[in-house]
Amino acid sequence: MKMKKILAVLMAVLMVALVFTACGGNEAKLVVAEAGSAGEEVMNTDEYFADATKTPVDTMAKALMEVKSGTADMAVVDYVMSIGSIGEGTDYADLKLVEDVSFSPEEYGIAFRKGSDAVNYVNKAINELKADGTLAEIAAKYKLQDLLLGDGTAEEVKAEESDWEYIKAKGKLVVGITLFAPMNYNDENGELIGFETEFAKAVGAKLGLEVEFQVIDWNSKETELASKNIDCIWNGMTITEERKENMQISIPYMENKQVVVVKAD
């Protein structure tokens, strides 16, 4: 009788272990992602993280630092960011992607105020930069050329009060960004560089506009845009249905997905 009880306990322990494995082994794990990002949405909604403790942080760079320092077990970040940011020869040489785990196939776009006709001119410039090879050249510098999308089309926006005329009168396009490689970041000399940085400047040159970059709080990006503190959000921004309802978004120009980063073995 005693032996049967022992066997029953052992079987129960085994069942718990099997359930743990089936759920992805993320119980009691701490996962982090940038607040307000596609990564945070995946972290909060995907079954893979159902039993993990979830914590939003300020930026994707902060999410990687948390994993590097051991204060978090895993981070959900843009695949685009992981290219060149983790692994050998980077500041995060001791981090790696979890193999065969990715989420939310996405496309990046540039966000303007809802109803802004400025998007018409930016879309035209984007297609011209694709056609003449400039965008591919910029992308190749940051190992992103394989993620570029082909020419896009969009219905022309007709505005009662022209946002384009407002921007053109200023002579500059104020671009809202956050700092993360390889999109917008500071090099060793403190100079702002990155794929989006060069891309925005190339579009500005096409449109005859100076481009001014302004670091924003990602959680407040819609408010910054609506209040005209910035003219657009150009920062590896994922296109979603909700964002399309609240902002005017350009044609998509790059694909992305969410990935999980952990410490290398």
Side-chain angles (χ1 to χ4, degrees), residues 112-122 156-167 248:
F112 290 79
R113 286 176 275 279
K114 187 66 176 174
S116 173
D117 57 344
V119 76
N120 300 330
Y121 299 88
V122 170
E156 186 170 318
V157 176
K158 299 187 184 301
E160 291 183 10
E161 186 176 344
S162 176
D163 199 33
W164 167 247
E165 291 300 328
Y166 161 74
I167 293 169
Q248 203 67 48

Side-chain angles (χ1 to χ4, degrees), residues 34-38 58-60 78 80-81 107-111 175-185 192-197 199-200 213-219 221 230 232-238 243 250 253-254 256:
E34 181 183 41
S37 70
D58 294 341
T59 64
M60 280 191 274
D78 286 7
V80 164
M81 185 202 187
E107 293 178 337
Y108 283 161
I110 306 148
V175 176
I177 64 169
T178 62
L179 298 177
F180 74 100
M183 307 312 263
N184 299 292
Y185 64 103
L192 184 67
I193 61 170
F195 170 76
E196 301 284 42
T197 308
F199 183 16
F213 297 93
Q214 185 168 311
V215 176
I216 60 172
D217 179 345
W218 191 246
N219 270 334
K221 56 188 177 294
I230 58 174
C232 64
I233 302 163
W234 203 324
N235 194 65
M237 193 197 77
T238 300
R243 286 173 179 166
S250 73
Y253 57 87
M254 181 172 285
N256 182 47

